[in-house]
Amino acid sequence: AWKDCGLYRLKPGDPPLEIFQPYNANIASPMDRLRGEYVGSVTGQTQPPSDQAPAAGQGDASARPPGGDGQQLRIVRSWESVARDGRDFAENGAGMMYWFKVPLGGLAYPEGFRNFLQPALVNPKISKIRFVLESSVPTIRQIWYDLVLPLLQNWAKQEQRDFRLEDRDDAGQFVENATPAKVLAWVFVDLSLEFTPCFKLLIPDPDTNEETESQVQIFLSTASRSVKLRDGTLQTVRIPDAILRVRAHENDSLMHALNSVANQWDSLFS
């Protein structure tokens, strides 16, 4: 579980930090007080929160520190909040969704697949889903074929949707036999010299009449996890645990830059 401790100033003169305290509710209770100066909460509370902790995942994902009225980026904390924000991104978005160099750790598990990718597959407003994957790391290719693609195929079978798998050496697609067709495509390219951060991008699809505002999720940090592949080996994967959400009207130049990165590889999906 996570306890929202509010805003604390760790040293005099430092800006306040919003502190969340993880704990195992079956073993121990969270600390009542933390070191440092309590300066309030994002909701205006002036006393430190009691030891009555919220249920897991109840942290306020849209919380902003004092003076943040003009803040354009939203920091999402805890895996539950990241999953909730990822679901919202996929459920309410429209157009084409690009996954650029995004860690596959979350998608390697059924729970992560259900939170991050399945809503985009179900959402009829998202017509195309495109993955740009790192080819210089062999484990990524292995995770994609051994873990992610089977989840895609199992989902299509459970939903009784007719998809065909088209696979080439460094590219492929999962295409629905329907009109309009949902298409999930991927390419493997060498991104070892690419310093652009991992991101998910939603932009309008020129092949549809769906109007939508472009938006992006930028992955700030990741956590290491171990997964067992089909051959019995254990591999380390990275799971995102903090993201920024940006919309076009908030930072048009950033959106333009990331859109240019996606366009750089777009011809590989033809």
Side-chain angles (χ1 to χ4, degrees):
W2 292 83
K3 177 181 178 180
D4 185 351
C5 298
L7 295 162
Y8 276 81
R9 184 176 286 110
L10 303 185
K11 296 181 181 179
D14 281 359
L17 298 176
E18 188 179 359
I19 306 298
F20 289 84
Q21 183 182 169
Y23 67 100
N24 187 334
N26 296 318
I27 298 175
S29 298
M31 292 184 291
D32 293 339
R33 295 274 185 147
L34 304 181
R35 293 184 180 181
E37 177 192 357
Y38 180 76
V39 296
S41 75
V42 294
T43 58
Q45 180 177 318
T46 57
Q47 296 296 320
S50 69
D51 59 359
Q52 183 63 41
Q58 281 188 347
D60 185 358
S62 60
R64 295 181 177 179
D69 292 342
Q71 187 176 338
Q72 297 172 341
L73 305 180
R74 183 175 62 173
I75 298 179
V76 180
R77 301 172 180 84
S78 83
W79 192 91
E80 291 87 356
S81 297
V82 172
R84 183 169 58 246
D85 195 78
R87 263 197 318 273
D88 177 72
F89 190 78
E91 288 176 348
N92 299 313
M96 300 171 61
M97 176 183 280
Y98 284 87
W99 297 56
F100 178 81
K101 206 170 59 173
V102 172
L104 296 179
L107 295 183
Y109 297 93
E111 184 177 359
F113 180 87
R114 286 193 297 269
N115 279 295
F116 298 121
L117 184 54
Q118 184 173 311
L121 292 166
V122 173
N123 183 353
K125 294 183 179 180
I126 295 180
S127 51
K128 300 180 181 73
I129 304 171
R130 294 178 171 178
F131 284 81
V132 181
L133 301 170
E134 172 66 84
S135 65
S136 65
V137 182
T139 304
I140 293 178
R141 188 184 296 267
Q142 192 176 8
I143 291 171
W144 180 258
Y145 283 103
D146 286 359
L147 299 175
V148 178
L149 280 187
L151 287 170
L152 276 168
Q153 294 171 310
N154 289 337
W155 168 82
K157 183 178 180 180
Q158 291 172 3
E159 296 295 316
Q160 298 183 335
R161 294 177 64 166
D162 185 14
F163 278 79
R164 68 181 184 275
L165 180 64
E166 300 175 0
D167 189 24
R168 303 185 297 276
D169 288 340
D170 287 314
Q173 56 183 7
F174 198 57
V175 187
E176 186 172 19
N177 296 314
T179 303
K182 174 90 70 174
V183 180
L184 184 148
W186 63 91
V187 293
F188 284 94
V189 294
D190 188 350
L191 301 173
S192 59
L193 299 179
E194 175 63 67
F195 293 100
T196 302
C198 309
F199 65 85
K200 283 196 295 182
L201 178 69
L202 269 173
I203 58 174
D205 183 354
D207 295 331
T208 69
N209 296 322
E210 187 71 42
E211 294 186 5
T212 181
E213 180 187 24
S214 298
Q215 56 180 308
V216 66
Q217 287 180 318
I218 303 174
F219 293 76
L220 296 177
S221 60
T222 58
S224 296
R225 295 289 186 271
S226 294
V227 296
K228 181 177 287 187
L229 303 178
R230 286 182 175 179
D231 60 5
T233 61
L234 285 175
Q235 298 286 351
T236 299
V237 299
R238 309 289 289 178
I239 298 178
D241 60 2
I243 57 175
L244 294 180
R245 171 83 77 91
V246 186
R247 300 181 186 274
H249 74 275
E250 297 170 342
N251 197 322
D252 187 61
S253 58
L254 176 60
M255 293 295 305
H256 178 76
L258 296 180
N259 197 8
S260 297
V261 172
N263 287 338
Q264 178 180 351
W265 312 104
D266 208 43
S267 61
L268 299 177
F269 292 97
S270 302

